[in-house]
C-alpha cells in the first residue's frame, strides 16, 4: 500500500535526479504497471556479475499498489539519505504488487494479493538460491532486507524459503509499516501460519510501526477477506504489525528492535529518521576503516567512488 500524494512529493524532492541506478535489480513483474507475476526473475546488474559477484546484498522491497516507476522513486529517495559508500550493495526488488495499471482501481484488488505476495516470495527465493549456489563453495552472502507494507509479507515468506539454504547469512531485517497480522509472528503461531521463525532468523530484526497509519487502521482488516482469522486468535493479534507493533514480551532479547515512528503509511522510504537509522544498519567502508584506525593507530587513505558510475 502507498500514498499517491506522498509519492508525487518524493518525486519532486529527489533533487532533479528522480531515479538513481542501483548495483542490481530483481524484477518479478511482466509489466511496469499491473500485469501478472513473471515465470522467472529478471536480474539486471550494473557493471558487475550480479548477485553472485557480491559478498553482501541489501534488498529493498516495496509494498502494495506500487508500480515499477514509483518503486524506483521511493528507492531513490531512500538511497539519497545514505552515505555514498553504503550504496554499493543495494538491490532493488520489483514484484507485481499492483492489481491494475490504475492506482485508483488497484486498491480493490488488495484482498487477492496475499497469494500474489506468497508466489512472488517463492519465485524470488528460487532465483536468489540459484545465484548464491553459482558462487561455488565460498562464504555465504551476507543479506539485509528493508521492506515496506505488504512487501514485509513478501519478505517474511522469502526468508522462510532461504532459511534452509546455506548460501545466505542474514544479518539485518527492517520491517516498515508491515501489513502482516500480529499473530503470524507470535510464539504460539500455528505451523501453517508461522512467520516467527522467519522474523527470528536474522541476527537483528527492526520493527517500525505507527499508530498514525490510517491505511493499516482502516483498510487492512477488510483487505484480509480471503485470509479469515483463526479461532485461536484475538482481535488485538489480528491487527497489523506495522500499526500496533509486537508486544515487548514476545521480543527476543538482543534481537528485536522496535520503534513507534509516528509516520503515515507512505512516508517511510523518504522519512529522515528512517534514513538515519538505515545509516547505522547498512555496512559502511568508512566506518569500518575508522574503527580499525582507532584500534591500531594506522592512517588509511580512502578514494571517493561514485557507486552509480556517473
Amino acid at each position: 500500500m502507498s500514498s499517491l500524494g506522498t509519492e508525487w512529493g518524493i518525486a519532486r524532492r529527489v533533487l532533479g535526479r528522480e531515479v538513481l541506478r542501483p548495483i542490481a535489480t530483481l524484477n518479478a513483474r511482466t509489466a511496469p504497471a499491473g500485469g501478472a507475476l513473471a515465470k522467472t526473475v529478471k536480474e539486471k546488474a550494473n557493471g558487475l556479475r550480479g548477485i553472485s559477484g557480491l559478498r553482501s546484498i541489501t534488498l529493498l522491497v516495496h509494498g502494495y499498489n506500487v508500480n515499477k516507476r514509483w518503486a524506483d522513486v521511493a528507492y531513490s529517495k531512500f538511497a539519497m539519505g545514505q552515505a555514498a559508500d553504503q550504496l554499493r550493495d543495494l538491490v532493488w526488488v520489483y514484484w507485481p504488487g499492483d492489481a491494475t495499471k490504475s492506482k485508483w482501481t488497484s486498491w480493490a484488488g488488495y484482498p487477492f494479493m496475499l497469494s500474489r505476495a506468497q508466489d512472488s516470495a517463492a519465485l524470488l527465493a528460487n532465483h536468489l538460491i540459484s545465484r548464491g549456489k553459482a558462487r561455488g563453495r565460498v562464504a555465504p552472502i551476507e543479506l539485509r532486507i528493508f521492506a515496506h507494507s505488504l512487501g514485509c509479507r513478501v519478505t517474511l515468506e522469502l526468508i522462510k524459503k532461504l532459511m534452509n539454504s546455506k548460501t545466505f547469512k542474514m544479518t539485518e531485517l527492517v520491517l516498515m509499516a508491515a501489513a502482516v497480522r500480529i499473530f503470524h509472528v507470535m510464539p504460539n503461531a500455528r505451523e501453517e501460519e508461522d512467520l516467527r521463525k522467519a522474523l527470528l532468523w536474522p541476527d537483528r530484526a527492526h520493527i517500525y510501526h505507527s499508530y498514525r497509519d490510517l491505511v493499516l487502521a482502516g483498510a487492512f482488516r477488510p483487505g484480509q477477506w480471503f485470509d479469515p482469522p483463526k479461532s485461536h486468535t484475538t482481535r488485538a493479534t489480528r491487527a497489523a504489525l506495522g500499526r500496533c507493533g509486537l508486544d515487548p514480551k514476545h521480543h527476543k532479547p538482543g534481537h528485536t528492535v522496535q520503534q513507534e515512528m509516528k509516520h503515515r503509511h507512505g512516508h517511510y522510504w523518504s522519512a529522515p529518521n528512517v534514513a538515519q537509522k538505515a545509516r547505522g544498519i547498512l555496512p559502511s567502508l568508512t566506518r569500518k576503516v575508522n574503527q580499525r584506525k582507532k584500534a591500531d593507530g594506522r592512517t588509511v587513505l580512502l578514494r571517493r567512488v561514485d557507486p552509480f558510475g556517473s
Side-chain angles (χ1 to χ4, degrees), residues 200-216:
L200 298 181
W201 189 54
D203 294 339
R204 281 196 306 175
H206 307 257
I207 300 173
Y208 298 160
H209 68 103
S210 174
Y211 286 104
R212 296 184 181 180
D213 192 327
L214 299 182
V215 172
L216 293 181

Side-chain angles (χ1 to χ4, degrees), residues 8-282:
W8 277 111
I10 293 173
R12 289 196 301 268
R13 293 195 297 271
V14 181
L15 305 180
R17 191 178 183 183
E18 288 191 7
V19 176
L20 301 175
R21 288 192 298 125
I23 292 299
T25 61
L26 298 178
N27 190 357
R29 309 182 62 110
T30 56
L37 179 67
K39 294 183 178 180
T40 58
V41 174
K42 184 178 180 181
E43 180 178 331
K44 181 179 179 181
N46 292 320
L48 295 171
R49 290 187 297 144
I51 289 175
S52 60
L54 297 172
R55 295 181 180 179
S56 71
I57 60 173
T58 300
L59 303 183
L60 305 185
V61 185
H62 64 78
Y64 176 66
N65 206 21
V66 177
N67 60 33
K68 185 177 182 296
R69 175 62 176 174
W70 288 119
D72 282 336
V73 172
Y75 294 161
S76 295
K77 185 62 179 179
F78 173 83
M80 292 188 69
Q82 309 309 309
D85 68 337
Q86 293 183 302
L87 305 179
R88 65 188 186 279
D89 65 357
L90 292 187
V91 177
W92 297 3
V93 175
Y94 309 108
W95 64 283
D98 46 346
T100 67
K101 292 183 179 180
S102 168
K103 295 185 74 68
W104 305 111
T105 59
S106 186
W107 282 101
Y110 178 69
F112 303 94
M113 282 295 118
L114 180 58
S115 60
R116 174 73 64 85
Q118 294 170 324
D119 293 342
S120 298
L123 187 68
L124 289 165
N126 290 337
H127 180 82
L128 288 170
I129 291 172
S130 66
R131 296 298 288 158
K133 289 181 178 178
R135 303 176 75 238
R137 301 182 65 179
V138 295
I141 298 175
E142 186 177 298
L143 175 65
R144 288 163 300 278
I145 303 180
F146 286 76
H148 178 254
S149 190
L150 192 58
C152 296
R153 182 62 183 263
V154 174
T155 295
L156 291 172
E157 297 284 355
L158 168 63
I159 293 173
K160 283 179 65 176
K161 305 290 185 183
L162 296 180
M163 286 173 58
N164 296 325
S165 169
K166 298 181 179 180
T167 55
F168 291 92
K169 180 185 184 302
M170 191 164 188
T171 58
E172 305 279 357
L173 169 65
V174 180
L175 302 178
M176 304 180 291
V180 176
R181 281 177 160 167
I182 293 174
F183 68 75
H184 283 298
V185 293
M186 290 179 61
N188 60 347
R190 294 180 179 177
E191 185 65 31
E192 68 273 14
E193 60 195 27
D194 183 17
L195 294 174
R196 183 171 176 81
K197 293 178 182 178
L199 179 69
L200 298 181
W201 189 54
D203 294 339
R204 281 196 306 175
H206 307 257
I207 300 173
Y208 298 160
H209 68 103
S210 174
Y211 286 104
R212 296 184 181 180
D213 192 327
L214 299 182
V215 172
L216 293 181
F220 179 71
R221 289 182 189 272
Q224 303 295 306
W225 182 265
F226 292 107
D227 185 25
K230 311 301 186 292
S231 59
H232 68 284
T233 64
T234 65
R235 181 176 177 82
T237 62
R238 295 170 198 160
L241 178 67
R243 184 168 189 266
C244 303
L246 184 64
D247 191 321
K249 69 182 181 182
H250 299 312
H251 292 187
K252 180 180 177 182
H255 168 269
T256 310
V257 181
Q258 181 168 281
Q259 182 168 350
E260 209 275 311
M261 303 299 284
K262 300 181 179 180
H263 293 317
R264 286 181 287 179
H265 192 71
H267 287 191
Y268 284 80
W269 289 116
S270 58
N273 59 347
V274 172
Q276 181 181 13
K277 290 183 177 298
R279 286 194 292 271
I281 294 171
L282 293 172

